[in-house]
Amino acid sequence: TLGPGAEVGPGAQVASGSWVAGTVPAGECWAGAPASRTGTASHGWPSRPPRRSYWLAGYGLTSVALAILPVVAALPGLWLARRLLTSGIDLARATSRLLLIAVPFGAVSWLVGYALLTALVVRLLGLGLRPGYHPVRSRIGWQVWATERILDGARSLLFPLYSSLLTPSWLRLLGADIGRGVEASTVLLLPAMTTVGDGAFLADDTMVASYELGGGYLRIEPAKIGKRAFLGNSGTAAPGRSVPKHALVAVLSAAPQKARKGSSWLGSPPVQLRRSASLSDDSRTFAPPRRLVAARAVIEACRLSAVIATTAIGVGVLLVLDWLASRVSLPATAAASGLVLLGAGLVAGTITCLAKWILIGRTRAVRYLLWSSFVWRNEVVDSFVELVSAPWFARSASGTAMLALWLRCLGSRIGRGAWLETYWLPEADLIEIGAGATVNRGCVLQTHLFHDRILQMDTVTLGSGATLGPHGVILPGASIGAGATVGPSSLVMRGDTVPAHTRWLGNPISPWQPR
């Protein structure tokens, strides 16, 4: 992240997860938040990439093709909807059949169809990949870029396949080497370069073997997550890196170049930390009995209801617009379409609120083992947030009073005039944001941690007028005092208390010294 007035000189390198506040001189390597000099920039790529202009057209055409894939997956559902609407029955019966038959069928067939199309395309794109540096304008550069684009979209469009029993099989279908008993959330990876050992845990928004860019070249190398290792939220295992057996890489942290078995790491660049593992019942963490597997499968199947709900809202929007167009002019319908979409957003937000209160009720600061009903039901609610509220309401409501109102309905306590550029407030009941506080884009108010397969929840508090900078993360049990500021790309550690009217920065945070 580059702050106001930042300057990065020619040939310089800035590591991922860093925040630059001043000037990075030419040819130097900087890392951290705030970034500081770590050495001389070392370039592994050749001096000049080949100029192959025809690859620009290839990238553009690929973007169009990837955008068409979801439409192709929807064709079976559209075909059934057309048959129902033209079957010679009256409009009321046709509409009811459309909503009761075509919508569920279309939603499920689309999910399955798009998953199979995604897996097929990713498998084809994985052919012929080899480690090393490759020009961005080359076959391998194009393959890697297209793979990550489609998989990044899949994390949203195919959200029910993540954080579930199906996730390991899904990642294997994509071509990754995944061991037994793996738990994975919304991980972004390059399947052909990824190995995950038995019992490993990949938390939300982790990145494994994702490509590195520099000098017009792209670098890919294998990355490995060891047996029973843990990669925390927004953690990265860069090309050529590994997380050893039983090791832990914390939230917003990078895997080190070398690490010992069972070690724990925090920050970017990472530093080793002391940590004692939590003891728990293996039958509720790593080795569940069949009855718990069956119970989890039943509850996770309820995620399909979120897919059906968002499809029904889309069909409802089209039916309303069609009804308006048949009774007034097309320009008038176009003018009213914004109000129709606002109504769709209201419906989506209401459905998600109802799902939250019906499925989990009020959340309290307690802990649950992975194989517990609350954990699975909580993931169903997340599916409603990501598949129903996010596309129809929450993303476009960023920074508005309506977003704060919706989050209050989910259980958060938010003061007047608070500015929120994120809707991602997991376990909303545990979050309190004071009047006039600011939560910038890309922030996560993390009310739970999943170390050792134990969901441990606690409150997160921002006082009146407090600020959490862009891409900042605050962990459970932490608070930011009134009028205090935590800078960009910073991590407020679990249980930390930031004093009122002070300024902090870093991963993890330390006093923010003016330059």
Side-chain angles (χ1 to χ4, degrees), residues 277-303:
S278 301
L279 299 177
S280 59
D281 180 3
D282 254 21
S283 67
R284 291 275 182 169
T285 52
F286 287 95
R290 290 183 179 180
R291 61 179 179 81
L292 288 181
V293 175
R296 180 177 176 181
V298 171
I299 294 177
E300 288 184 348
C302 296
R303 295 186 187 190

Side-chain angles (χ1 to χ4, degrees), residues 171-190:
L171 298 179
R172 292 186 195 105
L173 186 64
L174 295 173
D177 183 1
I178 307 295
R180 294 176 298 175
V182 168
E183 292 287 338
S185 185
T186 48
V187 56
L188 181 61
L189 45 74
L190 188 60

Side-chain angles (χ1 to χ4, degrees), residues 228-243:
R228 295 203 177 189
F230 180 89
L231 185 59
N233 295 46
S234 301
T236 60
R241 301 287 180 97
S242 63
V243 182

Side-chain angles (χ1 to χ4, degrees), residues 2-3 50 54 59 65 153 195-196 215 222 225 268 320 330 379 402 425 486:
L2 304 182
Y54 54 86
Y59 277 92
T195 300
V196 181
I225 311 297
S268 181
V320 171
L330 285 177
E379 292 291 348
M402 291 302 298
L425 273 62
V486 173

